[in-house]
């Protein structure tokens, strides 16, 4: 039986409704369009509801001026979004798969990220959010599986956010849309339909740059984000059941700027750290976390920090089961760390 | 304003019911009639023989779908090749004679004098700043020689509420909007009065006050941004447009295609203003494209209303930009302008253009098609200008530029802590730590860093 993933608690949130992840995303955008008349959603195929149903019914509700299809061109979508934001509108741009965000890399890295800095604060495109489904999905092959967060996390001026649960996806997306900086928001497409929980129907935000301690523990700290959290949750349960190891599980939620203090505090308590992500190991964001924690927690570390990641290959179709850093690979890493 | 332009504006106003959004599929207007007006306006100097009306009708505006059932089918196997070129609209010759006279916007003496003086000031500034870079007093510079008519002519046709996105060779556009010599000098000297806080290379101007978005080096990125900007203007119900300037080299970037197609399909009030000056650094236009220049891409590839204009004729540039603005604002659709000109200057201070082109070629454009002399001759004909005035104006301009430069050079650079601000709206912890590290570090080596040149921390 699948191990249930702990829901996040939103204080004083009021009435809730059962939603999966795509419905929670849809709900967040519905609230954005309702509360901000300058907000628009656009991208490839968003008009009829999106290939993952994230924008379903929004065009009917808010009109074709505010929810519309663009030509099939990612650099155009990104540039258009930046221009809208620079003119004072709120731009919620969708890139159909994170794998196809690279044509927009120049616009996002050279333009969006530097817009405020280069003008001395005279102009900004802070009201732009780039949404894109990311991550392994079982059969996505090279171009429907990628996790490109560390490419963007190397870019000062951007924020990079990766939610996990429906409750958090909604709160983080609303915060991202309203944040005064350009945000790249990667949605775990594996969870669009499979993650279901009670989600507050009201307007709430979850602050960016703050990690969530999903489960407290005392022996080892495990850090991840996005859909990898489910895998880690399973590994953590296995470690408890089989070996009686108490793991502290942390969802980073925001990749840039990341919550150094939360991870640091946890590692100072546990003395051990594993970071796990689907993206390839070399140059992945785990390297940044590992290096920073080594600088800050040198005297507290009882074992080498381990990175349990995708291999340094393109994301393969038929070998996906072997490629992904699954719960067993993470379970072995926990064992190794505690026995060190 | 010429009669033809008035006619078109009127027609556009009558025909355009309201802002139309592409999704509404509303057929508001057949451009067949207005095409003829455009054609007449362009052809009214009788110098263009092979005008082809079809270039000036736009599919976008009639909202036709290029449906597979609507093709003309043929059983003749015939490769299609480029047959017609879009003619170039010009009304004033090198002697300053306007033909037909109705194409003369007939501005008063005061305004025309101001326009001409602005051209001289732009030239004077460019000469001095070029030399100043050669002396190592600023790190980089780009002049605008040969493109003065484009700058002043197009800027005059716009409203201050029209947003501008520029490439980098449009200093005159900014100056015509009121960007001062002091502001130019402060930016080029990277001093603490530069609103850009000295972070970007010289000539990367930008000013909220005159509604010009800050220039960046990556070519063509500003084009899809301008489309988004104009979409936001339209959405907000503004009666304004966004104009975006770029060179013919930049038009080879993917962002050009992205922007043109987005503007057309989303019906945005965007003016695409291409400065075709024949050279992208050392690459001649013949190695940049094989079609009918940039204008040729407008009507057939994107269904966009298009003009080609003599970029060295200030009145032709003005007329075309004015009409383009009328069309964009009244109908909420994009317009493409290709202004044919010649980059008389080197590409930049890091370039020696004599290595790839001849002096004869440059002189041809300087002597036969000079945009500044053309307006000068126009003014002399009107009895508004003399060689004495010319001399005294240049002298005066030199003094103004030198004074601005000296003032700017005397200023301190921005506070060192400004290295870390404006990356985000607020400074995140990692940057606060790095800021502190730097300040501690330079205290260890006060002799090794040019601290005295920077403004004291507040």
């Amino acid at each position: 039986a699948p191990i249930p993933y702990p829901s996040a608690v939103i204080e004083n949130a009021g009435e809730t409704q059962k939603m999966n992840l795509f419905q929670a995303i849809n709900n967040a955008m519905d609230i954005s369009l309702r509360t901000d008349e300058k907000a628009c959603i656009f991208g490839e195929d968003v008009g009829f509801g999106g290939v993952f149903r994230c924008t379903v019914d929004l065009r009917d509700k808010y009109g074709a001026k505010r929810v519309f299809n663009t030509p099939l061109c990612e650099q155009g979508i990104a540039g258009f979004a930046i221009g809208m934001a620079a003119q004072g509108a709120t731009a919620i741009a969708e890139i159909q798969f994170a794998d196809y965000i690279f044509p927009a890399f120049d616009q996002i890295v050279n333009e969006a990220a530097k817009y405020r800095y280069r003008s001395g604060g005279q102009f900004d495109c802070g009201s732009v959010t780039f949404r894109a489904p990311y991550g392994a999905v079982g059969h996505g092959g090279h171009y429907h599986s990628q996790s490109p967060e560390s490419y963007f996390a190397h870019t000062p001026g951007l924020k990079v956010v990766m939610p996990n649960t429906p409750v958090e996806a909604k709160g983080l997306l609303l915060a991202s849309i309203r944040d005064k900086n350009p945000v790249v928001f990667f949605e775990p497409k594996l969870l669009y339909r499979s993650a279901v929980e009670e989600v507050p129907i009201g307007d709430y935000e979850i602050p960016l740059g703050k990690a969530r301690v999903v489960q407290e523990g005392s022996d080892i700290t495990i850090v991840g984000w996005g859909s990898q959290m489910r895998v880690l949750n399973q590994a953590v349960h296995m470690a408890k059941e089989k070996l009686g190891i108490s793991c502290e599980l942390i969802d980073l939620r925001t990749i840039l700027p990341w919550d150094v203090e939360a991870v640091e505090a946890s590692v100072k308590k546990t003395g051990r750290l594993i970071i796990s992500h689907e993206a390839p190991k070399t140059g992945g964001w785990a390297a940044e976390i590992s290096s920073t924690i080594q600088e800050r927690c040198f005297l507290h570390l009882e074992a080498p920090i381990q990175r349990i990641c995708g291999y340094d290959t393109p994301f393969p179709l038929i070998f996906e089961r072997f490629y992904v850093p699954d719960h067993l690979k993470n379970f072995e890493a926990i064992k190794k760390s505690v026995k060190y | 304003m010429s009669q033809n332009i008035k006619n078109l504006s009127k027609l556009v106003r009558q025909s355009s019911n309201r802002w139309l959004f592409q999704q509404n599929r509303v057929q508001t207007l057949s451009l067949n009639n207005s095409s003829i007006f455009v054609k007449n306006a362009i052809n009214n100097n009788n110098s263009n023989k092979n005008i082809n009306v079809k270039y000036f009708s736009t599919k976008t505006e009639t909202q036709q779908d290029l449906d597979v059932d609507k093709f003309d089918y043929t059983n003749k196997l015939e490769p299609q090749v480029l047959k017609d070129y879009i003619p170039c609209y010009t009304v004033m010759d090198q002697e300053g004679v306007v033909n037909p006279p109705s194409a003369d916007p007939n501005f008063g003496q005061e305004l025309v004098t101001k326009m001409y003086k602005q051209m001289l000031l732009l030239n004077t500034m460019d000469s001095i700043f070029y030399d100043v870079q050669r002396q190592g007093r600023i790190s980089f510079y780009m002049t605008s020689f040969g493109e003065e008519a484009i700058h002043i002519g197009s800027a005059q046709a716009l409203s201050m509420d029209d947003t501008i996105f520029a490439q980098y060779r449009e200093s005159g556009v900014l100056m015509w909007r009121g960007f001062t010599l002091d502001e130019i000098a402060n930016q080029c000297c990277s001093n603490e009065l530069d609103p850009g806080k000295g972070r970007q290379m010289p000539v990367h101007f930008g000013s909220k006050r005159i509604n010009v978005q800050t220039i960046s080096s990556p070519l063509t990125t500003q084009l899809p941004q301008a489309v988004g900007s104009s979409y936001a203007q339209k959405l907000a119900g503004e009666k304004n447009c966004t104009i975006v300037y770029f060179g013919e080299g930049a038009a080879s970037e993917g962002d050009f295609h992205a922007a043109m197609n987005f503007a057309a399909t989303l019906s945005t009030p965007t003016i695409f203003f291409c400065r075709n000056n024949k050279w992208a650094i050392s690459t001649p236009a013949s190695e940049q494209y094989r079609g009918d220049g940039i204008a040729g891409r407008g009507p057939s590839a994107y269904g966009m209303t298009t003009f080609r204009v003599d970029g060295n004729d200030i009145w032709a540039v003005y007329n075309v930009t004015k009409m383009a603005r009328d069309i964009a604002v009244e109908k909420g659709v994009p317009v493409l302008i290709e202004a044919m000109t010649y980059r008389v200057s080197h590409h930049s201070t890091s370039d020696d253009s004599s290595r790839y082109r001849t002096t004869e070629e440059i002189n041809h454009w300087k002597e036969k098609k000079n945009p500044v002399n053309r307006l000068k001759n126009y003014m002399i004909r009107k009895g508004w200008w003399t060689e004495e005035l010319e001399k005294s104006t240049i002298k005066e301009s030199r003094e103004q530029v030198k004074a601005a430069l000296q003032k700017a050079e005397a200023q301190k650079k921005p506070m060192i802590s400004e290295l870390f601000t404006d990356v985000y709206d607020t400074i995140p912890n990692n940057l606060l730590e790095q800021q502190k590290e730097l300040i501690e570090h330079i205290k260890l080596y006060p002799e090794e860093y040019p601290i005295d040149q920077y403004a004291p921390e507040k």
Side-chain angles (χ1 to χ4, degrees):
Chain A
I3 316 262
Y5 189 84
S7 291
V9 179
I10 306 298
E11 303 287 341
N12 307 316
E15 202 185 327
T16 65
Q17 196 178 303
K18 199 166 241 186
M19 293 184 204
N20 64 24
L21 194 96
F22 86 64
Q23 289 163 333
I25 298 273
N26 178 281
N27 186 234
M29 290 193 282
D30 191 350
I31 291 172
S32 292
L33 292 171
R34 197 174 67 222
T35 55
D36 176 3
E37 61 179 19
K38 288 180 171 179
C40 292
I41 298 172
F42 49 89
E44 296 157 15
D45 306 301
V46 302
F48 87 115
V51 296
F52 289 109
R53 314 313 291 147
C54 290
T55 53
V56 84
D57 291 338
L58 296 178
R59 183 171 65 185
D60 288 344
K61 239 169 143 174
Y62 298 99
K65 292 178 187 178
R66 297 182 63 199
V67 181
F68 51 94
N69 291 337
T70 66
L72 203 166
C73 181
E74 287 76 17
Q75 65 196 94
I77 293 170
F80 182 88
I82 293 165
M84 272 194 80
Q87 191 63 252
T90 302
I92 307 168
E94 179 178 303
I95 304 292
Q96 203 159 70
F97 285 85
D99 311 65
Y100 306 125
I101 202 167
F102 298 109
F105 200 67
D106 184 42
Q107 283 285 355
I108 297 174
V109 171
N110 273 332
E111 296 291 316
K114 298 168 178 58
Y115 215 97
R116 188 194 309 271
Y117 190 72
R118 75 186 187 202
S119 72
Q122 289 188 93
F123 299 102
D124 69 78
C125 61
S127 55
V128 66
T129 305
F130 302 103
R131 294 176 43 243
Y134 92 95
V137 71
H139 51 269
H142 295 348
Y143 307 112
H144 302 83
S145 309
Q146 292 180 57
S147 302
E149 67 270 19
S150 66
Y151 289 102
F152 295 95
H154 195 58
T155 308
L158 293 181
K159 292 192 177 181
V160 180
V161 180
M162 295 171 85
N164 171 25
T165 71
V167 169
E168 300 209 314
K170 178 178 168 182
L172 287 167
L173 182 54
L174 276 166
S176 297
I177 292 167
R178 291 162 180 172
D179 192 88
K180 294 188 168 26
N181 302 283
V183 177
V184 182
F185 192 88
F186 289 122
E187 298 163 6
K189 60 181 169 292
L190 182 69
L191 304 180
Y192 271 142
R193 287 170 190 277
S194 63
V196 184
E197 64 185 0
E198 288 291 327
V199 177
I201 57 170
D203 188 344
Y204 66 92
E205 294 176 28
I206 293 176
L208 305 187
K210 292 276 173 239
R212 170 191 174 206
V213 178
V214 177
Q215 182 192 299
E216 291 193 8
S218 53
D219 297 332
I220 184 167
T221 303
I222 317 284
V223 173
W225 50 86
S227 49
Q228 190 62 9
M229 293 310 298
R230 310 267 162 166
V231 173
L232 297 176
N233 188 47
Q234 217 178 334
V236 160
H237 268 262
M238 209 171 148
K240 184 81 192 168
E241 298 276 305
K242 294 199 187 294
L243 307 168
I245 296 170
S246 163
C247 299
E248 180 141 301
L249 184 58
I250 296 181
D251 179 357
L252 209 55
R253 301 198 294 203
T254 302
I255 310 306
L256 187 74
W258 66 287
D259 192 346
V260 180
E261 291 75 16
V263 180
E264 183 183 347
S266 176
V267 173
K268 280 184 174 163
K269 181 174 75 176
T270 63
R272 290 179 166 83
L273 175 63
I274 288 170
I275 311 135
S276 181
H277 57 61
E278 269 175 28
K281 186 173 189 175
T282 300
W285 199 238
E288 180 61 37
I289 297 170
S290 168
S291 163
T292 304
I293 294 303
Q294 187 271 138
E295 285 170 12
R296 289 173 178 250
C297 305
F298 187 69
L299 294 177
H300 296 82
L301 286 168
E302 306 283 347
I305 299 169
Q306 292 182 75
R307 293 176 287 157
I308 309 304
C309 308
Y311 300 115
D312 292 338
T313 68
F315 200 108
L317 178 69
I318 205 63
F319 308 116
E320 178 168 325
R321 275 292 306 279
F322 305 99
Y323 171 86
V324 293
D326 64 10
H327 66 290
L328 296 173
K329 291 175 188 173
N330 278 285
F331 173 70
E332 283 302 316
I334 295 168
K335 248 165 63 178
K336 197 170 138 192
S337 184
V338 172
K339 281 186 183 164
Y340 185 83
Chain B
M1 193 191 284
S2 76
Q3 196 54 44
N4 287 312
I5 293 175
K6 277 184 194 158
N7 284 344
L8 179 77
S9 304
K10 197 172 153 203
L11 182 86
V12 163
R13 272 195 299 277
Q14 285 168 351
S15 315
S16 175
N17 301 331
R18 59 180 63 218
W19 298 116
L20 73 118
F21 281 81
Q22 183 256 341
Q23 290 87 346
N24 294 342
R25 300 266 158 206
V26 181
Q27 181 149 346
T28 55
L29 163 71
S30 156
L31 249 204
N32 293 335
N33 291 332
S34 63
S35 302
I36 292 161
F37 280 109
V38 176
K39 178 201 145 192
N40 287 344
I42 289 191
N43 203 24
N44 56 15
N45 65 351
N46 302 319
S47 64
N48 299 305
K49 301 247 161 25
N50 303 316
I51 193 137
N52 191 333
V53 176
K54 78 174 185 216
Y55 284 118
F56 298 103
S57 68
T58 78
K59 290 197 175 71
T60 309
E61 287 155 323
T62 53
Q63 299 294 313
Q64 286 171 2
D65 286 321
L66 192 61
D67 194 292
V68 70
D69 295 331
K70 291 177 187 159
F71 276 125
D72 291 330
Y73 283 89
T74 175
N75 60 3
K76 239 168 70 182
L77 181 59
E78 190 184 24
Q80 301 296 311
V81 293
L82 182 64
K83 292 189 183 106
D84 300 306
Y85 290 85
I86 294 178
C88 187
Y89 173 64
T90 186
V91 294
M92 179 163 69
D93 65 17
Q94 197 54 44
E95 304 311 313
V97 176
V98 179
N99 179 27
S102 62
D104 187 338
N106 280 318
F107 292 135
Q109 180 177 359
E110 196 183 338
L111 179 59
V112 179
T113 307
K114 196 180 156 204
M115 291 171 115
Y116 184 64
K117 282 186 169 178
Q118 191 74 75
M119 285 170 137
L120 291 182
L121 181 63
L122 174 63
N123 285 172
T124 309
M125 179 186 80
D126 277 350
S127 300
I128 292 175
F129 275 64
Y130 185 85
D131 292 343
V132 161
Q133 194 284 331
R134 282 289 177 256
Q135 295 158 13
R137 287 155 67 189
I138 58 175
S139 57
F140 179 78
Y141 195 69
M142 302 177 104
T143 63
S144 299
F145 296 115
E147 302 183 33
E148 302 87 350
I150 286 175
H151 294 197
I152 311 304
S154 65
Q156 171 61 20
L158 301 169
S159 143
M160 272 302 280
D161 293 328
D162 296 335
T163 298
I164 291 181
F165 283 77
Q167 180 166 309
Y168 50 59
R169 209 182 301 283
E170 293 91 2
S171 304
V173 174
L174 279 84
M175 290 164 85
W176 190 246
R177 287 207 159 198
F179 203 56
T180 65
L181 288 173
D182 284 337
E183 288 174 302
I184 288 168
N186 289 335
Q187 199 281 334
C188 290
C189 292
S190 313
N191 68 27
E192 66 170 326
L193 298 178
D194 168 25
K197 302 184 186 173
R199 289 169 182 150
Q200 285 214 90
M201 286 172 77
V203 194
H204 291 58
F205 307 123
S207 169
K208 205 162 182 102
R209 181 171 56 78
I210 58 163
N211 203 7
V212 179
Q213 298 273 327
T214 300
I215 291 163
S216 74
S217 306
L219 282 180
T220 328
T221 49
Q222 78 276 22
L223 268 71
Q225 293 169 10
V227 179
S229 161
S230 53
Y231 190 87
Q233 287 173 312
K234 184 171 171 173
L235 191 75
E238 290 176 27
K239 282 284 190 182
N240 288 107
C241 65
T242 296
I243 185 167
V244 56
Y245 294 89
F246 56 101
E248 90 288 346
S252 295
E253 292 278 2
D255 273 332
F256 170 84
H257 163 64
M260 293 286 286
N261 202 31
F262 273 55
T265 54
L266 296 169
S267 293
T268 64
T270 322
I271 302 175
F272 293 94
F273 198 112
C274 178
R275 299 175 292 96
N276 189 338
N277 65 17
K278 208 187 157 191
W279 291 95
I281 308 186
S282 72
T283 306
S286 59
E287 292 171 24
Q288 203 65 247
Y289 52 75
R290 279 295 153 93
D292 179 15
I294 310 306
R297 301 174 194 172
S300 54
Y302 299 104
M304 196 179 295
T305 306
T306 296
F307 298 93
R308 172 171 285 151
V309 61
D310 180 349
N312 289 12
D313 173 353
I314 190 166
W315 302 138
V317 171
Y318 170 79
N319 289 345
V320 158
T321 313
K322 184 82 177 66
M323 189 184 274
R325 187 184 183 277
D326 285 345
I327 294 170
V329 172
E330 293 299 329
K331 296 175 62 195
V333 296
V335 182
L336 171 65
I337 299 170
E338 181 185 29
M340 311 309 288
T341 184
Y342 187 81
R343 195 193 78 213
V344 171
S345 53
H346 298 302
H347 165 68
S348 73
T349 48
S350 308
D351 171 53
D352 171 11
S353 66
S354 69
R355 294 170 67 161
Y356 50 79
R357 62 182 186 178
T358 62
T359 321
E360 289 73 40
E361 182 181 303
I362 301 170
N363 286 341
H364 167 77
W365 283 85
K366 270 188 182 170
E367 288 154 19
K368 303 267 165 55
K369 301 197 166 180
N370 190 309
V372 183
N373 287 351
R374 249 192 248 191
L375 185 59
K376 180 178 166 181
N377 290 336
Y378 172 91
M379 291 188 41
I380 289 171
R381 282 178 178 278
K382 295 248 187 190
W384 294 347
W385 200 249
T386 61
E387 287 302 332
E388 288 71 44
L389 273 171
E390 177 102 352
K391 274 186 199 138
S392 62
T393 303
I394 290 174
K395 191 164 174 265
E396 207 176 293
S397 298
R398 289 191 70 86
E399 296 308 317
Q400 287 170 2
V401 174
K402 280 183 181 168
L405 195 61
Q406 277 162 8
K407 258 198 298 179
E409 284 182 314
Q411 293 291 334
K412 293 272 192 194
K413 307 300 177 201
M415 294 185 296
I416 295 166
S417 60
E418 295 280 18
L419 192 165
F420 297 95
T421 57
D422 302 320
V423 179
Y424 295 92
D425 60 331
T426 57
I427 310 183
N429 287 344
N430 61 322
L431 275 186
L432 284 174
E433 275 174 26
Q434 291 169 18
Q435 191 176 34
K436 206 172 134 208
E437 270 172 29
L438 174 64
I439 287 165
E440 296 296 317
H441 175 74
I442 55 183
K443 276 185 196 155
L444 296 176
Y445 299 94
E447 308 298 320
E448 302 289 332
Y449 294 95
I451 298 165
D452 294 347
Q453 294 174 21
Y454 292 77
E457 298 291 328
K458 279 175 199 150

